Amino acid sequence: MKIILKEDIIGLGYKNDVVVVKDGYGRNYLIPTGKGVIASPSALKVLAENLRQQAHKIEAQKAAAEKRAAQLEGVALEIPAKVSATGQLYGSVNTNIVSQELAKKGIEVDRKIITMRDIKTVGDYEALIHFFKDVEVRVPVKVVAEGVKEEAPAVDAEEAAPIVEVEETYDPEDEDEDIPAAE
């Protein structure tokens, strides 16, 4: 079934794209929720006319998306998280947390346009942010253990634990007296 999308759906297509979907998905989800319409010949003619009239608006939207994408160039996120002894996170780092971290840096990004898997271990990852059809930015995300410093200063072994000398009090002859003889 051919559908004309009325809004961006990540993983399927962008607004005004003509996509082929399974009949059930189109009839039971896209059309009733208003996210798409059947691509009939008359609907395709209306779409072509609308795109022709809106060409300058689309160019302006793309330019705005490229400007927002330029703000994210060189941005890298470091997200502290509570971690177990095995390196597993208590919970996970998801698109909502990435969006909040970007907001702390002064860049407002809707969590719905961020694509990434939930992160459940410490390490380096990547979040893909979709601003417009051809405008996407990859942002490196580093998840670190909360409260752990990256580089601790080197400490000599002598300074870390002082050596305490203990007097030897073990006498092997005393050992025989305490053990009863077996008969």
Side-chain angles (χ1 to χ4, degrees), residues 122-134:
V122 173
D124 294 328
Y125 300 93
E126 195 171 69
L128 181 63
I129 302 174
H130 309 271
F131 286 110
F132 198 70
K133 282 186 181 182
D134 300 327

Side-chain angles (χ1 to χ4, degrees), residues 28-176:
N28 298 327
Y29 177 67
L30 293 175
I31 294 170
T33 58
K35 295 181 183 215
V37 295
I38 295 175
S40 64
S42 62
L44 289 172
K45 286 180 184 177
V46 170
L47 173 65
E49 181 61 25
N50 286 342
L51 289 177
R52 188 185 65 76
Q53 291 177 0
Q54 295 177 352
H56 68 282
K57 283 185 181 180
I58 291 171
E59 287 300 319
Q61 289 174 344
K62 185 172 182 177
E66 288 172 348
K67 183 178 177 184
R68 290 188 65 203
Q71 290 178 338
L72 288 174
E73 291 298 323
V75 172
L77 297 178
E78 185 170 308
I79 301 175
K82 293 183 181 179
V83 179
S84 69
T86 61
Q88 293 288 327
L89 299 182
Y90 293 118
S92 64
V93 175
N94 53 26
T95 58
N96 194 22
I97 293 172
V98 170
S99 176
Q100 291 171 358
E101 289 294 320
L102 287 170
K104 287 180 186 176
K105 292 186 178 250
I107 304 168
E108 294 294 326
V109 175
D110 185 17
R111 68 176 177 81
K112 294 176 185 173
I113 65 170
I114 301 173
T115 303
M116 62 180 264
R117 293 181 182 227
D118 286 354
I119 300 170
K120 298 183 187 248
T121 57
V122 173
D124 294 328
Y125 300 93
E126 195 171 69
L128 181 63
I129 302 174
H130 309 271
F131 286 110
F132 198 70
K133 282 186 181 182
D134 300 327
V135 182
E136 297 176 343
V137 177
R138 294 184 185 278
V139 176
V141 177
K142 182 175 184 177
V143 179
V144 295
E146 191 173 80
V148 176
K149 294 180 181 170
E150 283 287 321
E151 295 186 22
V155 178
D156 292 336
E158 293 176 7
E159 292 176 17
I163 299 174
V164 178
E165 293 187 24
V166 178
E167 241 180 74
E168 181 80 26
T169 58
Y170 174 72
D171 188 7
E173 292 177 3
D174 292 339
E175 197 171 295
D176 294 336

Side-chain angles (χ1 to χ4, degrees), residues 1 74 91 153:
M1 166 180 273

